[in-house]
Amino acid sequence: MINLLLFPIIIPFFFAIVLLFFKEQVRIQRILTVIGLSASIAFACTLIMKVKQDGIQTLTLGSWPAPFGITMVSDMFSVLLVTSTLVITLFVVIYSFSSIGEERERFFYYPAILFMITGVNGAFTTGDIFNMFVFFEVLLIASYLLIVLGGEKRQLRESIKYILVNVISSAFFVITVAYLYSIVGTLNMADIGQKIADIGQPGIISVIGILMLLVFGIKAGIFPLYFWMPGSYAAPPVPILALFGALLTKVGVYAITRTYTLFFVHDLAFTHTILMVLALLTIVAGCIGALAYFDLKQIIIYNILIAIGVILFGVSQMNEAGMQGAVFYLIHDMLIKGALFLIIGIMIYVTGTSNLREMGGLIKTHASLGWLFLIAAFGLAGIPPLSGFVGKLLIVQGGFEHGQIFGTIVILASSLVVLLSVIRIFIYAFWGEPVPLQPTNRKTYKHMMFPAVILVALSVLYGVGTEWIFPYVSDAAHVLLDPSSYINAVLKE
Amino acid sequence: MKKNNVILQTTAKVTFFIIFLFSIHIFFAGHFAPGGGFVGGLLTTGAIVLLLLAFDLETVKATLPFNFTVVIGVGLLLSLGTAAGSILFNVPFFTHAFAHFELPLFGDTELHTAMIFDSGVYLVVVGAAITIIQSIGGDE
């Protein structure tokens, strides 16, 4: 089974195609989507075991020799991200059954999600920089459909912004890849890493490094480039917001991490200082936004920014603790952001508004929702033993080891702001005088609770079970810090 | 606006088949010479667009009664199926196979699995382009 590493990409793609034939039969679409995602998860878990046992898996498509064909590479970092992507998507899809509405379901909602997952998993797995661009396009085009699906006025306005920003960033991506190709003469990422090591990263390569930061930064939403994100992400319904917030920004973070650990590692004082400064500014911007808004969606969206800053700060330290922390925190953040978005989706469904000022006293009528939110909020802020703690601890350790006292203090302070911003939601929405609620369907509420509870439970397990998960995270960080193991696995000599 | 389109319509009926046959030729030429599924598909789309210009949306829909979304699906399945066939033989994805066959009429012919993949591309291009044109053109 040398093709095993492709299964998490091919299976969602296959099911997306099959769904095209069942446009009107919503029931069949739902069942097929769940089957497809579950099968993909099973294969992804097998792949984790395989990577753990046999090391990095590579496959060069079409039986071409390695630097010439398109290589797909599964190291621990990418396979962990692939698995968490699939798990989150499965629960968001289950959540969609009762919340997205049949109108959207009949207009290619599930195929769009599966095509997007194909793109996301492909971008995580590919070992070819141009192929990464292609998979970015696959996920972006599917996300264009998802953001505009439903055609509400606000969605149409925001989707124009979203498409424009992403088309421009894609154009920059191609230009950057072309620059890079004209200098190193190869597109294979392992080969690029080796060639840059050979020529010792002259200034022009650092320029390309900054260009890549620009391209992926627009996608990830780092400091000056996040301007489009709060508006665009708030436009579509909550399940789509959850997918975008939990997955799409993380693809950008993955791409930055990969290129900044494999390519641009010979002038750390320049490239990684810029990365660190931008990461810290992202945290500050996110903190301001998270405290400034009274809108549930906006608060959590700005929390995405904070998390991205924290992860990239960990990456920029380039030491073992920082990198392990970044990997651990990245997966934690995918799980917890997915869960939080689903929970605020339920709160919006119950109260009929996303404005915190118009909520109150929910704990009296929806106690379980309140406690679920509190657990997720504590997890997000990183209160031990929940999952945010270990990642942040390692990142902070990495920061101090690297001597970045000031930056590390910013990270620590940001945790307090995160806690404050989510506790504010808890206080405003769950405490106080109950606001009269429109009657809502209790059964729908239960159906929506189910995936949210499981995602929160998974994130708690992820935190409590750190002892078992840590070897995998440590493997992932090891490959990131030691590019030669990646390069040797691909080029095999 | 009612216009007399006899010349355009008569020419279009003939030209459609010429363009269509040429697109098939381009499609088959694709393996060793410039051409292939994408270009062939675009040419076929061009032929159908000519019909759309000469007649109208309803006539063309009645003449070519396909659901073009399904055409996209069939095309994708064909392409993915060809690429995934390599999984059965445990060789890397996308590995293609070819052999020489003695065919009646054609003589010694080289047959490729890449051809099946390309016909998938052809169907996807035709399906997608026509779906776009129909939904934009059908919008009042």
Side-chain angles (χ1 to χ4, degrees):
Chain A
M1 285 297 280
I2 54 170
N3 287 297
L4 180 66
L5 76 163
L6 286 175
F7 277 48
I9 307 169
I10 300 174
I11 295 175
F13 186 49
F14 173 73
F15 276 87
I17 298 169
V18 172
L19 289 188
L20 291 180
F21 296 102
F22 299 102
K23 180 168 182 283
E24 299 298 326
Q25 289 101 315
V26 172
R27 252 189 101 75
I28 300 180
Q29 287 203 35
R30 289 176 178 178
I31 295 168
L32 282 178
T33 312
V34 170
I35 293 175
L37 286 169
S38 313
S40 315
I41 292 173
F43 279 111
C45 292
T46 325
L47 186 57
I48 290 186
M49 293 305 148
K50 179 126 176 118
V51 173
K52 181 79 188 150
Q53 260 176 16
D54 308 343
I56 303 173
Q57 300 291 308
T58 65
L59 178 80
T60 306
L61 299 182
S63 303
W64 294 93
F68 307 111
I70 293 170
T71 311
M72 304 302 262
V73 188
S74 257
D75 63 347
M76 194 44 97
F77 185 41
S78 81
V79 73
L80 283 177
L81 290 175
V82 164
T83 314
S84 8
T85 300
L86 289 166
V87 170
I88 290 161
T89 314
L90 176 65
F91 290 110
V92 172
V93 162
I94 294 174
Y95 182 87
S96 308
F97 293 167
S98 49
S99 69
I100 195 79
E102 206 164 295
E103 190 60 23
R104 286 191 168 92
E105 285 179 303
R106 281 199 280 114
F107 269 88
F108 303 114
Y109 173 70
Y110 297 115
I113 288 185
L114 289 175
F115 278 128
M116 194 174 87
I117 297 313
T118 312
V120 172
N121 284 348
F124 285 148
T125 310
T126 186
D128 183 284
I129 193 79
F130 191 78
N131 194 238
M132 186 188 259
F133 165 75
V134 174
F135 276 120
F136 262 86
E137 286 304 300
V138 171
L139 75 91
L140 281 175
I141 288 169
S143 76
Y144 297 156
L145 169 63
L146 285 174
I147 200 169
V148 83
L149 194 63
E152 290 161 25
K153 193 176 170 195
R154 184 177 180 196
Q155 283 184 297
L156 292 173
R157 187 187 66 218
E158 294 299 336
S159 64
I160 291 174
K161 208 158 76 176
Y162 180 76
I163 292 172
L164 199 64
V165 165
N166 278 302
V167 166
I168 290 172
S169 111
S170 297
F172 269 112
F173 197 169
V174 180
I175 293 169
T176 312
V177 170
Y179 276 147
L180 190 58
Y181 183 74
S182 70
I183 293 164
V184 295
T186 175
L187 290 170
N188 186 300
M189 281 157 66
D191 206 22
I192 293 174
Q194 198 176 37
K195 295 260 163 66
I196 290 179
D198 289 347
I199 56 176
Q201 195 171 346
I204 185 75
I205 297 280
S206 301
V207 172
I208 291 170
I210 300 303
L211 271 173
M212 290 238 167
L213 191 59
L214 175 85
V215 170
F216 299 135
I218 292 178
K219 263 122 195 166
I222 62 172
F223 168 61
L225 309 168
Y226 69 86
F227 58 90
W228 57 275
M229 204 168 89
S232 297
Y233 276 18
V238 170
I240 298 172
L241 167 63
L243 281 180
F244 282 18
L247 307 181
L248 292 198
T249 48
K250 304 303 181 292
V251 184
V253 173
Y254 166 81
I256 292 176
T257 311
R258 183 62 84 200
T259 50
Y260 271 65
T261 52
L262 188 59
F263 298 172
F264 313 110
V265 287
H266 308 286
D267 193 2
L268 296 182
F270 177 66
T271 47
H272 285 62
T273 309
I274 288 184
L275 180 63
M276 186 189 74
V277 172
L278 287 178
L280 291 175
L281 288 172
T282 312
I283 296 176
V284 174
C287 287
I288 295 171
L291 291 181
Y293 281 93
F294 271 90
D295 185 287
L296 280 179
K297 286 182 177 179
Q298 295 294 336
I299 295 174
I300 309 292
I301 289 171
Y302 275 100
N303 267 298
I304 301 177
L305 290 186
I306 303 177
I308 284 163
V310 171
I311 297 162
L312 289 180
F313 179 83
V315 172
S316 72
Q317 301 310 308
M318 286 301 274
N319 55 21
E320 201 175 351
M323 201 59 81
Q324 285 171 349
V327 175
F328 195 91
Y329 200 82
L330 183 55
I331 293 162
H332 144 77
D333 195 61
M334 290 169 87
L335 288 172
I336 202 77
K337 283 283 150 53
L340 268 175
F341 278 121
L342 297 190
I343 294 172
I344 64 163
I346 301 171
M347 288 165 69
I348 292 170
Y349 170 74
V350 169
T351 58
T353 172
S354 66
N355 190 340
L356 267 184
R357 290 201 185 90
E358 294 167 20
M359 295 181 186
L362 275 178
I363 200 84
K364 292 217 173 72
T365 48
H366 297 84
S368 51
L369 181 63
W371 298 123
L372 188 67
F373 178 81
L374 196 66
I375 297 172
F378 282 169
L380 181 72
I383 289 175
L386 300 171
S387 53
F389 174 71
V390 183
K392 223 170 239 177
L393 177 74
L394 285 166
I395 289 175
V396 166
Q397 189 193 338
F400 279 128
E401 276 173 10
H402 193 235
Q404 300 294 343
I405 311 294
F406 173 72
T408 315
I409 290 172
V410 172
I411 302 269
L412 288 171
S414 79
S415 308
L416 288 179
V417 178
V418 170
L419 186 62
L420 180 60
S421 72
V422 281
I423 287 301
R424 224 166 49 113
I425 297 181
F426 187 72
I427 292 173
Y428 274 92
F430 290 98
W431 286 1
E433 280 304 301
V435 173
L437 299 175
Q438 298 289 326
T440 44
N441 189 342
R442 204 70 193 178
K443 210 173 149 201
T444 314
Y445 168 73
K446 284 213 179 94
H447 284 176
M448 288 165 90
M449 279 296 271
F450 165 71
V453 170
I454 307 239
L455 268 187
V456 172
L458 276 180
S459 90
V460 171
L461 274 182
Y462 184 66
V464 175
T466 306
E467 195 67 36
W468 299 296
I469 291 159
F470 198 72
Y472 298 92
V473 173
S474 148
D475 271 15
H478 178 73
V479 175
L480 288 175
L481 284 173
D482 179 23
S484 62
S485 59
Y486 185 98
I487 292 169
N488 288 340
V490 175
L491 299 178
K492 289 195 180 96
E493 66 246 332
Chain B
M1 195 165 62
K2 199 82 179 133
K3 268 199 288 187
N4 194 345
N5 284 336
V6 176
I7 297 176
L8 181 61
Q9 290 184 350
T10 318
T11 333
K13 276 181 206 162
V14 181
T15 325
F16 171 79
F17 286 103
I18 297 174
I19 302 177
F20 181 64
L21 286 177
F22 183 61
S23 81
I24 301 288
H25 167 73
I26 286 282
F27 169 61
F28 278 110
H31 200 75
F32 292 117
F38 190 83
V39 190
L42 281 183
L43 269 170
T44 311
T45 315
I48 298 175
V49 170
L50 181 66
L51 284 186
L52 277 170
L53 287 175
F55 300 90
D56 57 12
L57 207 56
E58 299 312 314
T59 323
V60 175
K61 264 188 188 160
T63 326
L64 302 166
F66 308 116
N67 179 351
F68 282 96
T69 323
V70 174
V71 173
I72 300 177
V74 173
L76 283 173
L77 271 186
L78 215 54
S79 295
L80 181 68
T82 317
S86 51
I87 294 174
L88 297 179
F89 300 97
N90 206 26
V91 289
F93 197 68
F94 271 125
T95 306
H96 77 145
F98 60 94
H100 287 266
F101 292 94
E102 265 321 313
L103 293 183
L105 216 60
F106 289 102
D108 178 36
T109 316
E110 203 176 341
L111 292 183
H112 293 250
T113 56
M115 194 77 228
I116 309 171
F117 180 85
D118 227 19
S119 45
V121 175
Y122 178 92
L123 289 177
V124 172
V125 171
V126 174
I130 296 295
T131 309
I132 293 170
I133 289 165
Q134 277 184 351
S135 40
I136 295 176
D139 237 22
E140 286 308 323

